[in-house]
Amino acid sequence: MQKTRQGILKLLKSNGGLATDELSEKLGISATAVRRHLGALEEQEMVFRRKEQRGVGRPCYIYSL
């Protein structure tokens, strides 16, 4: 497994659930790159997402194990 994906799994395990922008900030990579990794992890059923409304505007996805 790639080092970045291992980092994502470690962050999700220690923080419960995080949004794409939060993961991007913690890992120091773009949100687009995080979404690609999350998509691959989601296909493998290693992470799951749920919609969450945070303030005004579109809801965001929160990823967790």
Side-chain angles (χ1 to χ4, degrees), residues 2-64:
Q2 289 185 355
K3 191 176 181 178
T4 304
R5 291 182 188 166
Q6 288 176 344
I8 289 171
L9 292 173
K10 186 183 255 187
L11 284 168
L12 292 176
K13 184 176 181 179
S14 63
N15 293 293
L18 294 169
T20 306
D21 59 339
E22 295 167 328
L23 285 166
S24 172
E25 184 179 318
K26 290 179 183 289
L27 293 168
I29 60 175
S30 71
T32 303
V34 170
R35 279 191 287 278
R36 283 191 199 146
H37 288 292
L38 287 169
L41 290 169
E42 198 171 11
E43 282 180 13
Q44 297 172 9
E45 297 183 353
M46 297 182 81
V47 298
F48 301 93
R49 67 179 173 174
R50 63 181 162 76
K51 280 186 183 179
E52 185 176 289
Q53 186 68 41
R54 292 187 173 179
V56 179
R58 298 174 68 184
C60 65
Y61 287 107
I62 303 299
Y63 290 86
S64 58

